[in-house]
Amino acid sequence: MRPGPAVAGVSRRTGLQALLGLCGALSFMQQAQAGAQVEEPLADAVRTALSAAIANTAPPEPVFADTEARLHYLRWLGAMSERLKKKKPDWQTRKDFLQTVWYESKRAGLDVSLVLGLIQVESNFRKFAVSSVGARGYMQVMPFWTRVIGDGDAGKLFHMGTNLRFGCVILRHYLDRERGDLYMALGRYNGSRGKAPYPNAVMGAKRNWDWAG
């Protein structure tokens, strides 16, 4: 399936943000900080919007409006690849991971450095990380999400693309619920809403991935 005009990416990102905006209207390190999102009742419209966001199966292949946008992305990829090399020594694995993080972050209207910081705190970039409460994968997604808005197969949370898509969509949902309050949204993502340690840890880790370009 060919990706539509996306990611630098304007139409798909805008559409997803509008879809997830409906959700808001209607509705250290490693495992020590691992996510424990709380299962909460969702309005039917919210569940439908989140399910639609998850179900979009277009491959994570960035499409760029112009050459400069593509060069900007390639410069970012090179810079982030150097920073991630110790965690993921294989170039192709590193490239695929970063490309998918970039794509899913942009698609959900999230800051890429924020998502990378969250991954660092949640799983320390371990694909098969499992927390003491059962959260899985890079973004430590709780298995109940696959039942609520997916096909019920929690094993798919160990698939890189699936995990990153769920994580980004869930974080966008929490941001919308908290009306853009990142501190509260991060706490909700972690199951520690209103407490400082987790948001502070993510924002601290985010600085490792900030890039001026």
Side-chain angles (χ1 to χ4, degrees):
M1 180 184 298
R2 290 173 61 86
V7 187
V10 186
S11 66
R12 180 174 294 160
R13 182 182 64 193
T14 302
L16 180 65
Q17 285 182 264
L19 186 67
L20 293 179
L22 175 64
C23 300
L26 294 171
S27 48
F28 256 4
M29 304 290 168
Q30 302 185 34
Q31 291 186 353
Q33 296 286 343
Q37 304 101 12
V38 177
E39 184 171 1
E40 300 170 304
L42 295 177
D44 288 344
V46 173
R47 180 179 287 105
T48 298
L50 292 172
S51 296
I54 292 299
N56 188 327
T57 56
E61 296 177 9
V63 175
F64 302 97
D66 51 44
T67 300
E68 181 52 39
R70 177 173 178 78
L71 290 175
H72 178 84
Y73 166 75
L74 291 174
R75 290 192 293 269
W76 173 86
L77 182 63
M80 295 304 105
S81 178
E82 282 301 309
R83 297 181 196 183
L84 193 60
K85 189 178 289 185
K86 288 184 179 179
K87 298 292 184 185
K88 294 188 176 297
D90 178 71
W91 155 245
Q92 189 61 50
T93 300
R94 201 162 64 246
K95 174 181 175 292
D96 291 346
F97 172 79
L98 287 168
Q99 177 174 293
T100 306
V101 170
W102 191 88
Y103 179 90
E104 295 298 343
S105 299
K106 297 290 185 180
R107 181 176 176 271
L110 298 171
D111 183 338
V112 184
S113 62
L114 172 67
V115 173
L116 284 167
L118 185 147
I119 293 169
Q120 179 180 325
V121 170
E122 287 286 351
S123 68
N124 202 23
F125 299 97
R126 291 172 298 145
K127 181 178 181 179
F128 297 107
V130 180
S131 78
S132 60
V133 294
R136 300 184 179 192
Y138 285 119
M139 294 187 75
Q140 291 289 275
V141 177
M142 291 293 285
F144 73 78
W145 282 108
T146 62
R147 170 175 48 79
V148 173
I149 61 173
D151 62 7
D153 184 358
K156 290 181 179 178
L157 294 176
F158 292 123
H159 177 269
M160 176 184 68
T162 301
N163 188 277
L164 295 174
R165 176 157 295 187
F166 266 83
C168 288
V169 166
I170 292 163
L171 181 56
R172 178 76 259 169
H173 167 61
Y174 287 149
L175 267 169
D176 291 339
R177 283 203 61 182
E178 297 291 350
R179 303 187 182 195
D181 187 323
L182 181 58
Y183 176 88
M184 289 297 188
L186 287 171
R188 191 180 285 276
Y189 189 96
N190 179 250
S192 60
R193 184 178 182 273
K195 299 179 181 179
Y198 180 78
N200 289 346
V202 172
M203 297 310 293
K206 175 184 178 295
R207 290 194 287 271
N208 295 326
W209 309 99
D210 283 338
W211 185 69

